[in-house]
């Protein structure tokens, strides 16, 4: 299983020399497992990514907020005639995935709909647990305004949990730790610094320190903090990463473009 962090920012993309190391693209993670090429969210990180020639493409959307969808029209896979693309999302605020996409990508907001692109776009139902080829997908619901889905993808001996836009609470943290048990990699929303969290309670995000505690309880092999606040510069994130590493050496702050290989030895490289 190959995991690539294509976009690691939350809220809005940023572009400046101060954001060079961690990147400025919004949330998107690519997971390649066998013949499956799965994208977790479609923020600006998905822009310009060239899919593999013969892979089956799927996009799993955690929720339809703009920063997680804004890159979709620029995904080259959409423009490939004969390419099949399956997009999954649970119903949110009474709208299914097709309704949500048509709400955002339609004139006058956008010149054409997602379903007007050359690729064959399908929107299969997303049950609680299902398979995409040989990849097992498990889901749980997190706390975020409007709702959010947390995904666990498992392929052979490797597994990755994607818990973005997640606001921690005692009950949910216990559930997430059990959901993430023994995973190869936990990708966790740490948008806010620990000292800032109370000012943003209710916004639907978390902190690196809570991510570390959940990773410990889950016995996760590695932890990546993502969904970086657009106000947080490289210097701020490097300092926060150093503080976090003093608590647990397994933690890293995600950088745009970094690739992790999850293999049978259950180590993230």
């Amino acid at each position: 299983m190959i995991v690539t962090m294509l976009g690691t920012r939350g809220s809005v993309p940023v572009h400046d020399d101060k954001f060079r190391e961690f990147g400025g693209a919004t949330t998107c993670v690519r997971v390649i497992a066998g013949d499956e090429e799965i994208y977790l969210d479609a923020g600006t990180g998905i822009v310009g990514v060239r899919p593999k020639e013969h892979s089956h493409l799927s996009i799993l959307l955690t929720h339809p907020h703009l920063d997680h969808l804004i890159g979709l029209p620029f995904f080259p896979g959409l423009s490939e005639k004969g390419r099949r693309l399956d997009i999954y999302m649970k119903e949110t605020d009474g709208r299914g995935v097709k309704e949500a996409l048509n709400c955002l990508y339609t004139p006058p907001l956008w010149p054409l709909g997602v379903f007007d692109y050359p690729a064959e776009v399908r929107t299969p139902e997303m049950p609680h647990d299902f398979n995409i080829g040989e990849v097992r997908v498990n889901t749980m619901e997190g706390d975020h305004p409007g709702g959010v889905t947390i995904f666990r993808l498992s392929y052979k001996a490797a597994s990755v949990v994607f818990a973005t836009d997640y606001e921690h609470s005692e009950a949910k943290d216990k559930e997430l730790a059990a959901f993430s048990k023994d995973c190869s990699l936990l990708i966790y929303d740490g948008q806010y610094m620990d000292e800032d969290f109370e000012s943003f309670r209710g916004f639907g995000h978390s902190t690196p320190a809570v991510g570390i505690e959940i990773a410990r309880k889950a016995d996760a092999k590695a932890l990546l903090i993502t969904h970086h606040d657009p106000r947080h510069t490289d210097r701020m994130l490097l300092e926060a990463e150093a503080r976090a590493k003093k608590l647990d050496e397994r933690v890293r702050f995600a950088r745009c473009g970094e690739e992790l290989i999850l293999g049978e030895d259950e180590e993230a490289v």
Side-chain angles (χ1 to χ4, degrees):
M1 181 183 281
I2 303 172
V3 178
T4 307
M5 303 301 295
L6 299 173
T8 61
R9 290 281 166 179
S11 305
V12 294
V14 290
H15 180 72
D16 191 284
D17 285 345
K18 298 190 296 291
F19 308 106
R20 188 179 299 275
E21 177 157 355
F22 292 91
T26 62
T27 301
C28 182
V29 178
R30 180 176 63 191
V31 178
I32 295 177
D35 294 329
E36 302 301 327
E37 187 167 345
I38 301 172
Y39 292 82
L40 301 168
D41 285 336
T44 58
I46 205 171
V47 174
V49 176
R50 287 290 171 188
K52 293 170 64 179
E53 187 174 351
H54 299 296
S55 60
H56 170 219
L57 298 183
S58 303
I59 297 177
L60 304 181
L61 297 173
T62 58
H63 64 305
H65 285 173
L66 287 176
D67 51 331
H68 296 256
L69 271 180
I70 196 170
L72 184 57
F74 306 98
F75 177 46
L78 262 183
S79 297
E80 295 180 10
K81 189 173 182 180
R83 174 78 82 167
R84 197 184 90 192
L85 172 62
D86 294 332
I87 304 178
Y88 297 82
M89 189 188 78
K90 290 193 176 178
E91 185 175 294
T92 305
D93 287 336
R95 286 191 176 96
V97 58
K98 187 174 290 188
E99 293 173 285
L101 292 174
N102 284 336
C103 180
L104 178 59
Y105 293 117
T106 188
L109 300 179
W110 193 251
L112 72 166
V114 169
F115 302 95
D116 299 323
Y117 281 74
E120 178 192 354
V121 179
R122 309 190 313 174
T123 55
E125 286 190 22
M126 189 167 78
H128 187 71
D129 304 301
F130 61 106
N131 277 59
I132 298 177
E134 294 184 70
V135 179
R136 184 61 174 170
V137 181
N138 302 103
T139 69
M140 69 165 273
E141 295 307 298
D143 284 336
H144 188 72
V148 68
T149 300
I150 296 167
F151 294 104
R152 178 170 181 148
L153 275 57
S154 303
Y155 176 72
K156 297 184 177 178
S159 56
V160 57
V161 174
F162 186 54
T164 189
D165 292 63
Y166 168 86
E167 183 158 328
H168 56 269
S169 66
E170 185 176 350
K172 276 295 176 185
D173 293 356
K174 184 176 181 180
E175 183 181 359
L176 179 56
F179 182 77
S180 307
K181 186 65 176 174
D182 295 324
C183 67
S184 307
L185 174 65
L186 171 60
I187 304 173
Y188 186 83
D189 183 316
Q191 175 157 342
Y192 299 127
M193 302 297 184
D194 301 319
E195 61 271 19
D196 296 331
F197 176 74
E198 286 305 321
S199 298
F200 296 99
R201 184 178 290 276
F203 282 43
H205 300 283
S206 190
T207 68
V210 174
I212 288 170
E213 285 304 310
I214 293 172
R216 284 175 175 168
K217 292 174 182 176
D219 291 319
K221 304 302 182 294
L223 170 65
L224 266 186
I225 300 299
T226 192
H227 209 277
H228 307 311
D229 193 299
R231 301 167 301 169
H232 292 165
T233 63
D234 286 342
R235 180 183 60 80
M236 296 169 69
L237 291 174
L238 284 168
E239 291 174 354
E241 184 181 51
R243 292 195 300 270
K245 278 188 168 295
K246 289 180 180 179
L247 298 176
D248 197 314
E249 275 295 323
R250 290 174 297 179
V251 65
R252 279 175 45 82
F253 281 30
R255 290 149 169 87
C256 284
E258 74 173 297
E259 183 178 282
L260 302 99
I261 300 173
L262 311 182
E264 294 186 0
D265 58 357
E266 286 283 43
E267 290 184 1
V269 180

